[in-house]
Amino acid sequence: MSANDRTDGDRLEWRAPPVVTPDWWIYRGTGRPIHDIALAELLPPPPPWRKFRGGPLPDTDTPPEDDGDEDRRLGVECHLTERDVDTHEVNMVNAALYLRRPLLVTGRPGTRKSSLAWQIARELRLGRVLRWPITSHTTLKNGQYGYDAIGRAQATAARLAGNTGPPATEQSVGEFIRLGPLGTALLPTKLPRVLLIDELDKSEADLPNDLLGALEDGEFVIDELERIRSRSREVEVFTSDPGRTAVIRDGRVRCREFPLIVITSNGEREFPEAFLRRCLRLEMRDPDANMLAAMVANHVLDERGEHRDRLVAEFVERSATSGGLPADRLLDAVYLATSGAYSESDPTWPHLINALWRRLDHDPVR
């Protein structure tokens, strides 16, 4: 009899061996927030070539709380265990944390690429995820900051015309500057922020190369503030976090802790070698049955499991034979089966499932 077996009277029970996780892991991949120790005590110093000295640190250096996106993306509970996680995925996230390098995440649509950013932020208690969605019109400056020159000119004209106060001063330029997601992520903080650069392959050809400076140096210049730094060294500006501002010194944003950057791609284009050299690369695999069941449970769908296990098994089989299906289509099916909106005994249920679980590149079911 093995050490994992025991007898209880005449009954033989099997006990699963304990899960042994590597000692160097900070992120465990379950999405359960760490509570016993602060991340600042777990995170080792950066490599010398990835050490940044931005400042000043803010007086209140706590990341803003999540504003609801986390629960919407991941669910309100955590049912994934360390036994079920993808070891390679967790290895690469931890390597990105240790090396202070961006993580380029590729894979089919629906393989949880974007959700990884929220899972990291939840588990490591890094607050609100900064999301930068990429389109064909996105430029580097969109991610760094925006300057409302017209708004400032109009405000100045209104003050002068109405004589309601002193004319706009150089310091007031900060009222018309808002840092973008990248700019906010690069602010000096004690803990890294989580930045999601979503679907980079949608960008124009130049954007990956334009990102090289920010990814390598962890800083950028705000031209409108650099021009006045001899007279106004510190200027307060708005950030991408609702209701928050930051003080910019000498017109330069420079990080202290390099952010944990998750860059997603659907594999629709090749990126320049110089860009790839600065990233760690992770190919997301299709979630297995255990991960799918945990995902359903996280969203508190079908708590008694009456429909979950069967639908998960059917989904896994359908996904394997059709070349892959987005995982959120499983959530749609379980919700319809359990919410009372639709009954599986309805004769049209099989037709509805066929429509929900149809490959994205196929024509819709009629």
Side-chain angles (χ1 to χ4, degrees), residues 261-301:
I261 302 179
V262 176
I263 305 172
T264 68
S265 166
N266 290 325
E268 297 174 357
R269 60 180 282 192
E270 294 291 331
F271 294 116
E273 289 187 8
F275 172 79
L276 295 176
R277 184 172 63 83
R278 288 164 172 82
C279 300
L280 303 183
R281 302 173 71 176
L282 169 64
E283 176 76 21
M284 291 289 279
R285 303 167 184 169
D286 289 350
D288 62 17
N290 288 337
M291 296 182 71
L292 290 169
M295 181 180 68
V296 172
N298 288 350
H299 287 273
V300 198
L301 295 175

CSV table of all heavy atoms in Angstrom, one decimal, residues 261-301:
chain,number,residue,atom,x,y,z
A,261,ILE,N,3.7,44.3,-17.7
A,261,ILE,CA,3.0,44.6,-19.0
A,261,ILE,C,2.6,43.3,-19.7
A,261,ILE,O,3.5,42.5,-20.0
A,261,ILE,CB,3.9,45.5,-19.9
A,261,ILE,CG1,4.3,46.8,-19.2
A,261,ILE,CG2,3.2,45.8,-21.2
A,261,ILE,CD1,5.2,47.7,-20.1
A,262,VAL,N,1.4,43.2,-19.9
A,262,VAL,CA,0.8,42.0,-20.7
A,262,VAL,C,0.4,42.6,-22.1
A,262,VAL,O,-0.5,43.4,-22.2
A,262,VAL,CB,-0.4,41.4,-20.0
A,262,VAL,CG1,-0.9,40.3,-20.9
A,262,VAL,CG2,0.1,40.8,-18.6
A,263,ILE,N,1.1,42.1,-23.1
A,263,ILE,CA,0.8,42.5,-24.5
A,263,ILE,C,0.1,41.3,-25.2
A,263,ILE,O,0.7,40.3,-25.3
A,263,ILE,CB,2.1,42.9,-25.3
A,263,ILE,CG1,2.8,44.0,-24.5
A,263,ILE,CG2,1.7,43.4,-26.7
A,263,ILE,CD1,4.2,44.4,-25.1
A,264,THR,N,-1.1,41.5,-25.7
A,264,THR,CA,-1.8,40.4,-26.3
A,264,THR,C,-1.7,40.5,-27.8
A,264,THR,O,-1.7,41.6,-28.4
A,264,THR,CB,-3.2,40.3,-25.9
A,264,THR,OG1,-4.0,41.4,-26.4
A,264,THR,CG2,-3.3,40.2,-24.4
A,265,SER,N,-1.7,39.3,-28.5
A,265,SER,CA,-1.7,39.3,-30.0
A,265,SER,C,-2.4,38.0,-30.4
A,265,SER,O,-2.3,37.0,-29.7
A,265,SER,CB,-0.3,39.3,-30.5
A,265,SER,OG,-0.2,38.9,-31.9
A,266,ASN,N,-3.2,38.1,-31.4
A,266,ASN,CA,-3.9,37.0,-32.0
A,266,ASN,C,-3.1,36.2,-33.0
A,266,ASN,O,-3.6,35.4,-33.7
A,266,ASN,CB,-5.3,37.4,-32.6
A,266,ASN,CG,-6.3,37.8,-31.5
A,266,ASN,OD1,-6.3,37.2,-30.4
A,266,ASN,ND2,-7.1,38.8,-31.8
A,267,GLY,N,-1.8,36.7,-33.2
A,267,GLY,CA,-0.9,36.0,-34.1
A,267,GLY,C,-1.2,36.4,-35.6
A,267,GLY,O,-0.9,35.6,-36.5
A,268,GLU,N,-1.8,37.5,-35.8
A,268,GLU,CA,-2.2,37.9,-37.1
A,268,GLU,C,-1.1,38.6,-37.9
A,268,GLU,O,-1.2,38.9,-39.1
A,268,GLU,CB,-3.4,38.8,-37.1
A,268,GLU,CG,-4.7,38.2,-36.5
A,268,GLU,CD,-5.8,39.1,-36.3
A,268,GLU,OE1,-5.6,40.3,-36.6
A,268,GLU,OE2,-6.9,38.7,-35.9
A,269,ARG,N,0.1,38.9,-37.2
A,269,ARG,CA,1.2,39.5,-37.9
A,269,ARG,C,2.5,39.2,-37.2
A,269,ARG,O,2.5,38.8,-36.1
A,269,ARG,CB,1.0,41.1,-38.0
A,269,ARG,CG,0.9,41.7,-36.6
A,269,ARG,CD,0.7,43.1,-36.6
A,269,ARG,NE,1.9,43.9,-36.9
A,269,ARG,CZ,2.0,45.2,-36.7
A,269,ARG,NH1,1.0,45.9,-36.3
A,269,ARG,NH2,3.2,45.8,-36.9
A,270,GLU,N,3.6,39.4,-37.9
A,270,GLU,CA,4.9,39.3,-37.3
A,270,GLU,C,5.4,40.6,-36.7
A,270,GLU,O,5.1,41.7,-37.3
A,270,GLU,CB,5.9,38.8,-38.4
A,270,GLU,CG,5.6,37.4,-38.9
A,270,GLU,CD,5.8,36.3,-37.9
A,270,GLU,OE1,6.7,36.5,-37.0
A,270,GLU,OE2,5.1,35.3,-37.9
A,271,PHE,N,6.1,40.5,-35.6
A,271,PHE,CA,6.6,41.7,-35.0
A,271,PHE,C,8.1,41.8,-35.3
A,271,PHE,O,8.8,40.8,-35.5
A,271,PHE,CB,6.4,41.7,-33.5
A,271,PHE,CG,4.9,41.8,-33.1
A,271,PHE,CD1,4.3,40.8,-32.5
A,271,PHE,CD2,4.2,42.9,-33.4
A,271,PHE,CE1,2.9,40.8,-32.1
A,271,PHE,CE2,2.8,43.0,-33.1
A,271,PHE,CZ,2.2,42.0,-32.5
A,272,PRO,N,8.7,43.1,-35.2
A,272,PRO,CA,10.1,43.2,-35.5
A,272,PRO,C,11.0,42.5,-34.4
A,272,PRO,O,10.6,42.4,-33.3
A,272,PRO,CB,10.3,44.8,-35.4
A,272,PRO,CG,8.9,45.4,-35.6
A,272,PRO,CD,8.0,44.4,-35.0
A,273,GLU,N,12.1,42.0,-34.9
A,273,GLU,CA,13.0,41.3,-34.0
A,273,GLU,C,13.4,42.2,-32.8
A,273,GLU,O,13.6,41.7,-31.6
A,273,GLU,CB,14.2,40.8,-34.7
A,273,GLU,CG,13.9,39.7,-35.7
A,273,GLU,CD,15.2,39.1,-36.3
A,273,GLU,OE1,16.3,39.5,-35.8
A,273,GLU,OE2,15.1,38.3,-37.2
A,274,ALA,N,13.6,43.5,-33.0
A,274,ALA,CA,14.0,44.3,-31.9
A,274,ALA,C,13.0,44.4,-30.8
A,274,ALA,O,13.3,44.5,-29.6
A,274,ALA,CB,14.3,45.7,-32.4
A,275,PHE,N,11.7,44.4,-31.2
A,275,PHE,CA,10.6,44.4,-30.3
A,275,PHE,C,10.5,43.0,-29.5
A,275,PHE,O,10.4,43.0,-28.3
A,275,PHE,CB,9.3,44.7,-31.0
A,275,PHE,CG,8.1,44.5,-30.2
A,275,PHE,CD1,7.7,45.5,-29.3
A,275,PHE,CD2,7.3,43.4,-30.2
A,275,PHE,CE1,6.6,45.4,-28.5
A,275,PHE,CE2,6.2,43.2,-29.4
A,275,PHE,CZ,5.8,44.2,-28.6
A,276,LEU,N,10.6,41.9,-30.3
A,276,LEU,CA,10.6,40.6,-29.7
A,276,LEU,C,11.7,40.4,-28.7
A,276,LEU,O,11.5,39.7,-27.7
A,276,LEU,CB,10.6,39.5,-30.8
A,276,LEU,CG,9.4,39.5,-31.7
A,276,LEU,CD1,9.6,38.5,-32.8
A,276,LEU,CD2,8.1,39.3,-31.0
A,277,ARG,N,12.8,41.0,-28.9
A,277,ARG,CA,14.0,40.8,-28.1
A,277,ARG,C,13.7,41.4,-26.7
A,277,ARG,O,14.3,40.9,-25.7
A,277,ARG,CB,15.2,41.4,-28.7
A,277,ARG,CG,16.5,41.2,-27.9
A,277,ARG,CD,17.7,41.7,-28.7
A,277,ARG,NE,17.7,43.1,-28.9
A,277,ARG,CZ,18.1,44.0,-28.0
A,277,ARG,NH1,18.5,43.7,-26.8
A,277,ARG,NH2,18.0,45.3,-28.4
A,278,ARG,N,12.9,42.4,-26.6
A,278,ARG,CA,12.6,43.0,-25.3
A,278,ARG,C,11.5,42.4,-24.6
A,278,ARG,O,11.1,42.9,-23.5
A,278,ARG,CB,12.3,44.5,-25.6
A,278,ARG,CG,13.6,45.3,-25.9
A,278,ARG,CD,13.3,46.6,-26.6
A,278,ARG,NE,14.5,47.4,-26.7
A,278,ARG,CZ,15.4,47.3,-27.8
A,278,ARG,NH1,15.1,46.3,-28.7
A,278,ARG,NH2,16.4,48.0,-27.9
A,279,CYS,N,10.8,41.4,-25.1
A,279,CYS,CA,9.7,40.7,-24.5
A,279,CYS,C,10.0,39.3,-24.2
A,279,CYS,O,10.8,38.6,-24.8
A,279,CYS,CB,8.5,40.8,-25.4
A,279,CYS,SG,7.9,42.4,-25.9
A,280,LEU,N,9.3,38.8,-23.1
A,280,LEU,CA,9.2,37.3,-22.9
A,280,LEU,C,7.9,36.9,-23.6
A,280,LEU,O,6.9,37.6,-23.7
A,280,LEU,CB,9.1,37.0,-21.4
A,280,LEU,CG,10.3,37.5,-20.6
A,280,LEU,CD1,10.1,37.0,-19.1
A,280,LEU,CD2,11.6,37.1,-21.1
A,281,ARG,N,7.9,35.7,-24.2
A,281,ARG,CA,6.8,35.2,-25.1
A,281,ARG,C,6.1,34.0,-24.4
A,281,ARG,O,6.7,33.1,-24.0
A,281,ARG,CB,7.4,34.9,-26.5
A,281,ARG,CG,8.1,36.1,-27.1
A,281,ARG,CD,8.7,35.7,-28.4
A,281,ARG,NE,7.8,35.4,-29.5
A,281,ARG,CZ,8.1,35.2,-30.7
A,281,ARG,NH1,9.4,35.1,-31.1
A,281,ARG,NH2,7.2,35.0,-31.6
A,282,LEU,N,4.8,34.1,-24.5
A,282,LEU,CA,3.9,33.1,-23.9
A,282,LEU,C,2.8,32.7,-24.9
A,282,LEU,O,2.1,33.6,-25.3
A,282,LEU,CB,3.3,33.5,-22.6
A,282,LEU,CG,2.2,32.6,-22.0
A,282,LEU,CD1,2.7,31.2,-21.6
A,282,LEU,CD2,1.6,33.3,-20.8
A,283,GLU,N,2.8,31.5,-25.3
A,283,GLU,CA,1.7,31.0,-26.1
A,283,GLU,C,0.6,30.4,-25.2
A,283,GLU,O,0.8,29.4,-24.5
A,283,GLU,CB,2.2,29.9,-27.1
A,283,GLU,CG,1.1,29.3,-28.0
A,283,GLU,CD,0.6,30.2,-29.1
A,283,GLU,OE1,1.4,31.1,-29.5
A,283,GLU,OE2,-0.5,29.9,-29.6
A,284,MET,N,-0.6,31.0,-25.2
A,284,MET,CA,-1.7,30.5,-24.3
A,284,MET,C,-2.3,29.3,-24.9
A,284,MET,O,-2.7,29.2,-26.1
A,284,MET,CB,-2.7,31.6,-24.1
A,284,MET,CG,-2.2,32.8,-23.3
A,284,MET,SD,-2.0,32.4,-21.6
A,284,MET,CE,-3.7,32.5,-21.0
A,285,ARG,N,-2.4,28.2,-24.1
A,285,ARG,CA,-3.1,27.0,-24.6
A,285,ARG,C,-4.6,27.1,-24.3
A,285,ARG,O,-5.0,27.8,-23.5
A,285,ARG,CB,-2.5,25.8,-23.8
A,285,ARG,CG,-0.9,25.7,-24.0
A,285,ARG,CD,-0.4,24.7,-23.0
A,285,ARG,NE,1.1,24.7,-23.1
A,285,ARG,CZ,1.9,24.1,-22.2
A,285,ARG,NH1,1.3,23.5,-21.2
A,285,ARG,NH2,3.2,24.1,-22.4
A,286,ASP,N,-5.3,26.2,-25.0
A,286,ASP,CA,-6.7,26.1,-24.8
A,286,ASP,C,-7.0,25.6,-23.4
A,286,ASP,O,-6.3,24.7,-22.9
A,286,ASP,CB,-7.4,25.2,-25.8
A,286,ASP,CG,-7.5,25.7,-27.2
A,286,ASP,OD1,-7.1,26.9,-27.3
A,286,ASP,OD2,-7.8,25.0,-28.1
A,287,PRO,N,-7.9,26.2,-22.6
A,287,PRO,CA,-8.2,25.7,-21.3
A,287,PRO,C,-8.7,24.3,-21.3
A,287,PRO,O,-9.5,24.0,-22.1
A,287,PRO,CB,-9.2,26.7,-20.7
A,287,PRO,CG,-9.8,27.4,-21.9
A,287,PRO,CD,-8.8,27.4,-23.0
A,288,ASP,N,-8.3,23.5,-20.3
A,288,ASP,CA,-8.8,22.1,-20.2
A,288,ASP,C,-10.1,22.1,-19.5
A,288,ASP,O,-10.6,23.1,-19.0
A,288,ASP,CB,-7.8,21.2,-19.6
A,288,ASP,CG,-7.4,21.6,-18.2
A,288,ASP,OD1,-8.1,22.3,-17.6
A,288,ASP,OD2,-6.3,21.1,-17.7
A,289,ALA,N,-10.6,20.9,-19.3
A,289,ALA,CA,-11.9,20.7,-18.6
A,289,ALA,C,-11.9,21.3,-17.2
A,289,ALA,O,-12.9,21.9,-16.8
A,289,ALA,CB,-12.4,19.3,-18.6
A,290,ASN,N,-10.9,21.1,-16.4
A,290,ASN,CA,-10.8,21.6,-15.1
A,290,ASN,C,-10.8,23.1,-15.0
A,290,ASN,O,-11.4,23.7,-14.2
A,290,ASN,CB,-9.5,21.0,-14.4
A,290,ASN,CG,-9.6,19.5,-14.0
A,290,ASN,OD1,-10.7,19.0,-13.9
A,290,ASN,ND2,-8.5,18.9,-13.9
A,291,MET,N,-10.0,23.7,-15.9
A,291,MET,CA,-10.0,25.2,-15.9
A,291,MET,C,-11.3,25.7,-16.4
A,291,MET,O,-11.8,26.8,-15.8
A,291,MET,CB,-8.9,25.6,-16.9
A,291,MET,CG,-7.5,25.2,-16.4
A,291,MET,SD,-6.2,25.8,-17.5
A,291,MET,CE,-6.2,27.6,-17.2
A,292,LEU,N,-12.0,25.1,-17.3
A,292,LEU,CA,-13.3,25.6,-17.8
A,292,LEU,C,-14.3,25.4,-16.6
A,292,LEU,O,-15.1,26.4,-16.4
A,292,LEU,CB,-13.7,24.8,-19.0
A,292,LEU,CG,-13.0,25.1,-20.3
A,292,LEU,CD1,-13.3,24.1,-21.4
A,292,LEU,CD2,-13.2,26.5,-20.8
A,293,ALA,N,-14.3,24.3,-15.9
A,293,ALA,CA,-15.2,24.2,-14.8
A,293,ALA,C,-15.0,25.2,-13.7
A,293,ALA,O,-15.9,25.7,-13.1
A,293,ALA,CB,-15.1,22.7,-14.2
A,294,ALA,N,-13.7,25.5,-13.4
A,294,ALA,CA,-13.4,26.5,-12.5
A,294,ALA,C,-13.9,27.9,-12.9
A,294,ALA,O,-14.4,28.7,-12.1
A,294,ALA,CB,-11.9,26.5,-12.2
A,295,MET,N,-13.7,28.2,-14.2
A,295,MET,CA,-14.2,29.4,-14.8
A,295,MET,C,-15.7,29.6,-14.6
A,295,MET,O,-16.2,30.7,-14.2
A,295,MET,CB,-13.8,29.5,-16.2
A,295,MET,CG,-14.2,30.8,-16.9
A,295,MET,SD,-13.7,30.8,-18.7
A,295,MET,CE,-14.8,29.6,-19.3
A,296,VAL,N,-16.4,28.5,-14.8
A,296,VAL,CA,-17.9,28.6,-14.6
A,296,VAL,C,-18.2,28.8,-13.2
A,296,VAL,O,-19.1,29.7,-12.8
A,296,VAL,CB,-18.5,27.3,-15.1
A,296,VAL,CG1,-20.0,27.2,-14.8
A,296,VAL,CG2,-18.4,27.2,-16.7
A,297,ALA,N,-17.5,28.1,-12.3
A,297,ALA,CA,-17.8,28.2,-10.8
A,297,ALA,C,-17.4,29.6,-10.4
A,297,ALA,O,-18.0,30.2,-9.5
A,297,ALA,CB,-17.0,27.2,-10.1
A,298,ASN,N,-16.3,30.2,-10.9
A,298,ASN,CA,-15.9,31.6,-10.5
A,298,ASN,C,-17.0,32.6,-10.7
A,298,ASN,O,-17.2,33.6,-10.0
A,298,ASN,CB,-14.7,32.0,-11.3
A,298,ASN,CG,-13.4,31.3,-10.9
A,298,ASN,OD1,-13.4,30.6,-9.9
A,298,ASN,ND2,-12.4,31.5,-11.6
A,299,HIS,N,-17.8,32.4,-11.8
A,299,HIS,CA,-18.9,33.3,-12.1
A,299,HIS,C,-20.2,32.9,-11.4
A,299,HIS,O,-21.3,33.5,-11.7
A,299,HIS,CB,-19.1,33.4,-13.6
A,299,HIS,CG,-18.0,34.2,-14.3
A,299,HIS,ND1,-18.1,35.5,-14.5
A,299,HIS,CD2,-16.9,33.7,-14.9
A,299,HIS,CE1,-17.0,35.9,-15.1
A,299,HIS,NE2,-16.3,34.8,-15.4
A,300,VAL,N,-20.1,32.0,-10.4
A,300,VAL,CA,-21.3,31.5,-9.7
A,300,VAL,C,-22.4,31.1,-10.6
A,300,VAL,O,-23.6,31.4,-10.4
A,300,VAL,CB,-21.7,32.6,-8.6
A,300,VAL,CG1,-22.6,32.0,-7.6
A,300,VAL,CG2,-20.6,33.3,-8.0
A,301,LEU,N,-22.1,30.3,-11.6
A,301,LEU,CA,-23.1,29.7,-12.5
A,301,LEU,C,-23.2,28.3,-12.2
A,301,LEU,O,-22.2,27.5,-12.0
A,301,LEU,CB,-22.6,29.9,-14.0
A,301,LEU,CG,-22.5,31.3,-14.5
A,301,LEU,CD1,-22.0,31.3,-15.9
A,301,LEU,CD2,-23.9,32.0,-14.5
